[in-house]
Amino acid sequence: DSGVTQTPKHLITATGQRVTLRCSPRSGDLSVYWYQQSLDQGLQFLIQYYNGEERAKGNILERFSAQQFPDLHSELNLSSLELGDSALYFCASSTGTVYNEQFFGPGTRLTVL
Amino acid sequence: AQKVTQAQTEISVVEKEDVTLDCVYETRDTTYYLFWYKQPPSGELVFLIRRNSFDEQNEISGRYSWNFQKSTSSFNFTITASQVVDSAVYFCALSEADSGGYQKVTFGIGTKLQVIP
């Protein structure tokens, strides 16, 4: 158990809908990262937050947004969902200092029908 | 350009064989870290090792060993006497500091290892 929790574990929804994925980092970790993993791609970095502030953006679509709250949990919002958004979404946390390993949550499997 | 290259997309070995997973990285930083993660069929990502750019000593942990060579920008992972439980996707990752001094991590596409009983 990495100490990172993600909810829900599975999510099935329809095209055009909006969903929210939630992540609670390990106790003491200030950084939260979101990744998307689909069948035909590796781990695609989406976005990083550090202590409530956005720090880095990767291949995140404009239909997606995220935030990190004062209690350090984070939410990833996906809107106007398309079939291609079906993927495993991982959250990871780290202390935020450079070079520390990231601890991954179990992931949320999103299926868009 | 890919910063972390895992050229082997899939490898199959018979149980008890040794197998090496290759990782080649690219960075201009003198200080950086390299990681290996394992993703078993159950899906979770498990941290295996962290190595900093100033430590080129090989590391061994049980049946796992890592060979870090700065001269070739490689950080290869060897499993000795492979077991079925080693079947997983293995990711190599590079961590650098961005211009603001924060962590920037790049993952390779992963190598799927299948160990056949």
Side-chain angles (χ1 to χ4, degrees):
Chain A
D1 184 353
S2 67
V4 178
T5 60
Q6 287 187 251
T7 57
K9 192 167 184 177
H10 300 279
L11 199 49
I12 301 175
T13 188
T15 54
Q17 295 298 306
R18 171 190 169 97
V19 297
T20 297
L21 313 184
R22 183 188 168 104
C23 168
S24 292
R26 285 190 326 154
S27 177
D29 283 356
L30 298 178
S31 262
V32 169
Y33 308 78
W34 286 99
Y35 292 88
Q36 179 193 59
Q37 186 179 37
S38 54
L39 280 176
D40 55 347
Q41 299 185 18
L43 276 165
Q44 298 285 312
F45 168 66
L46 295 179
I47 198 165
Q48 177 202 356
Y49 279 83
Y50 176 81
N51 204 20
E53 293 189 7
E54 181 184 304
R55 284 295 312 142
K57 261 187 176 179
N59 301 325
I60 188 166
L61 300 172
E62 286 191 7
R63 300 182 285 108
F64 297 179
S65 65
Q67 54 184 326
Q68 187 180 28
F69 295 86
D71 67 352
L72 301 178
H73 90 271
S74 177
E75 293 181 356
L76 178 67
N77 301 297
L78 316 175
S79 61
S80 303
L81 285 168
E82 302 175 358
L83 295 178
D85 297 327
S86 295
L88 193 54
Y89 291 85
F90 284 106
C91 166
S93 75
S94 74
T95 60
T97 58
V98 187
Y99 315 133
N100 278 60
E101 62 267 32
Q102 295 182 9
F103 294 87
F104 283 78
T108 292
R109 182 165 294 282
L110 173 66
T111 302
V112 182
L113 301 174
Chain B
Q2 276 191 330
K3 300 198 83 171
V4 179
T5 302
Q6 294 181 256
Q8 307 146 306
T9 52
E10 289 194 40
I11 302 176
S12 288
V13 298
V14 176
E15 200 170 21
K16 297 184 184 175
E17 284 184 349
D18 298 348
V19 58
T20 296
L21 310 183
D22 297 334
C23 173
V24 174
Y25 62 93
E26 180 186 330
T27 180
R28 293 183 179 179
D29 289 0
T30 55
T31 302
Y32 53 90
Y33 274 71
L34 296 161
F35 302 87
W36 276 94
Y37 287 85
K38 173 182 179 179
Q39 186 178 35
S42 53
E44 76 276 18
L45 277 149
V46 179
F47 164 76
L48 294 177
I49 188 171
R50 175 182 66 175
R51 175 51 53 90
N52 76 61
S53 54
F54 298 106
D55 183 2
E56 288 193 70
Q57 277 194 328
N58 289 339
E59 179 151 344
I60 298 175
S61 175
R63 296 183 297 106
Y64 294 171
S65 63
W66 291 268
N67 183 355
F68 175 33
Q69 291 194 338
K70 287 179 76 170
S71 61
T72 56
S73 296
S74 65
F75 186 43
N76 296 337
F77 173 32
T78 298
I79 301 175
T80 303
S82 60
Q83 300 176 2
V84 173
V85 293
D86 296 327
S87 297
V89 179
Y90 291 86
F91 292 94
C92 180
L94 166 69
S95 180
E96 309 160 278
D98 66 13
S99 56
Y102 287 88
Q103 186 178 44
K104 178 180 168 185
V105 181
T106 306
F107 281 80
I109 63 170
T111 296
K112 183 176 182 180
L113 173 65
Q114 183 180 20
V115 181
I116 304 165

